[in-house]
Amino acid sequence: MIVDSLFVNSGMVQMEFGGPMFPYISPNQSTTFEKEAARYRILPGDTLRLMIFNNDNKSHSFTIRGGGQSSPVIPAGNSASWDVHFSNPGIYQFADESDHNDVLGLSGMIIVWRGLDHEFYWSLREHQSDLNANILAGQPFDPDDFAPDYFTVNEKSHPEVQNDSAAVISGKVGDSIYIFLSNQGLMDHSIHFHGYHIQLVYSSINNWQLDWIKDSLPIKAQESQIYLLVPHQEGTFPVHDHNLVATTIGGNAPGGMLVLFTIDP
Ligand SMILES: [Cu+2]
């Protein structure tokens, strides 16, 4: 049994220095609100017990997307414990899908995989800075009208994401480097590496590209994937979404889903 905590915190976020502030609800691992979502890493066979503390002013509950497991409903200011079981290795998403709380930030990834020497994590998400206040005010939201202006890896746009050592891939020529991706957003993305090819070793859906070795791989909304990168050369290269709207930040390029990474000899 792995025991960990999940604090539902609400606050204001900014996805760009000097950019707009907008309301957000985040699953965090402490009582301090931060935009980066909690991430849980366990081994196959482990049971995860989440102690959930709801610091928000409305009730919340979580489900494992596609998995049929639900937490208790936790009223504002209350707490509950939730045991989640996984019979297969993979990447799972926990989310509060009621009232579009997941669009407001309330979802994250649970990784159930064997231990590895070199692993990195990418939670993909889009944000529309003028939408969240309307959702919180109870106005209807039609996903067909979604027009995001911020695109994040671990809830940070480039260049801020360069400070995230869990997102910025690093290693040496010949290493087996695994990248755990979970698309928490509403859009499909296409992850494109410069300098290297990556192998798709896991997908949470029936993905006919499994085991393909390519420089670009699409990832659907709410899909999770694992890439294996075995670098054949040293150097510094970008990896970015090939859907170029997602490499903007507040309407300007470059930014968003773009990470520069370095492989050493
Ligand atoms: Cu490119």
Side-chain angles (χ1 to χ4, degrees), residues 122-231:
W122 279 36
S123 165
L124 304 176
R125 201 187 292 272
E126 318 88 26
H127 316 266
Q128 183 178 337
S129 57
D130 62 2
L131 173 70
N132 290 12
N134 293 345
I135 291 177
L136 282 169
Q139 294 181 19
F141 167 56
D142 181 350
D144 287 343
D145 295 332
F146 189 48
D149 47 355
Y150 290 98
F151 306 87
T152 55
V153 177
N154 298 347
E155 292 71 47
K156 297 173 219 72
S157 287
H158 185 86
E160 184 186 4
V161 68
Q162 294 301 133
N163 299 322
D164 183 350
S165 60
V168 177
I169 299 157
S170 62
K172 295 187 170 80
V173 172
D175 281 347
S176 291
I177 299 169
Y178 289 82
I179 304 134
F180 295 87
L181 300 95
S182 197
N183 186 354
Q184 306 279 340
L186 299 172
M187 286 174 57
D188 299 348
H189 295 286
S190 184
I191 306 303
H192 170 62
F193 279 75
H194 289 223
Y196 304 98
H197 287 60
I198 36 101
Q199 182 177 10
L200 181 65
V201 297
Y202 166 82
S203 165
S204 61
I205 63 172
N206 184 15
N207 192 321
W208 47 274
Q209 293 162 108
L210 203 61
D211 295 326
W212 284 24
I213 299 175
K214 292 286 172 188
D215 63 13
S216 303
L217 285 166
I219 181 167
K220 290 184 177 299
Q222 301 191 358
E223 182 180 0
S224 297
Q225 296 182 339
I226 302 174
Y227 299 158
L228 170 60
L229 165 64
V230 183

Side-chain angles (χ1 to χ4, degrees), residues 14-137:
Q14 191 177 40
M15 295 299 179
E16 174 185 21
F17 183 72
M21 304 278 293
F22 53 95
Y24 203 75
I25 308 176
S26 196
N28 294 145
Q29 277 163 299
S30 81
T31 55
T32 304
F33 170 76
E34 56 177 317
K35 60 188 180 182
E36 180 165 358
R39 180 172 61 230
Y40 302 96
R41 173 68 167 96
I42 64 174
L43 299 173
D46 285 343
T47 292
L48 178 63
R49 170 167 292 174
L50 287 175
M51 308 300 297
I52 306 175
F53 300 86
N54 182 1
N55 294 332
D56 195 18
N57 58 12
K58 57 181 181 177
S59 63
H60 288 286
S61 65
F62 291 92
T63 57
I64 302 297
R65 280 186 171 136
Q69 300 184 71
S70 308
S71 80
V73 175
I74 307 134
N78 281 62
S79 62
S81 89
W82 181 31
D83 290 358
V84 276
H85 308 272
F86 303 98
S87 42
N88 293 307
I91 301 174
Y92 300 87
Q93 298 188 358
F94 64 93
D96 179 358
E97 296 179 319
S98 64
D99 299 330
H100 307 296
N101 284 308
D102 52 341
V103 177
L104 300 175
L106 201 47
S107 71
M109 64 200 287
I110 301 170
I111 297 151
V112 184
W113 204 257
R114 68 183 192 277
L116 299 165
D117 290 333
H118 308 282
E119 49 184 69
F120 297 88
Y121 312 99
W122 279 36
S123 165
L124 304 176
R125 201 187 292 272
E126 318 88 26
H127 316 266
Q128 183 178 337
S129 57
D130 62 2
L131 173 70
N132 290 12
N134 293 345
I135 291 177
L136 282 169

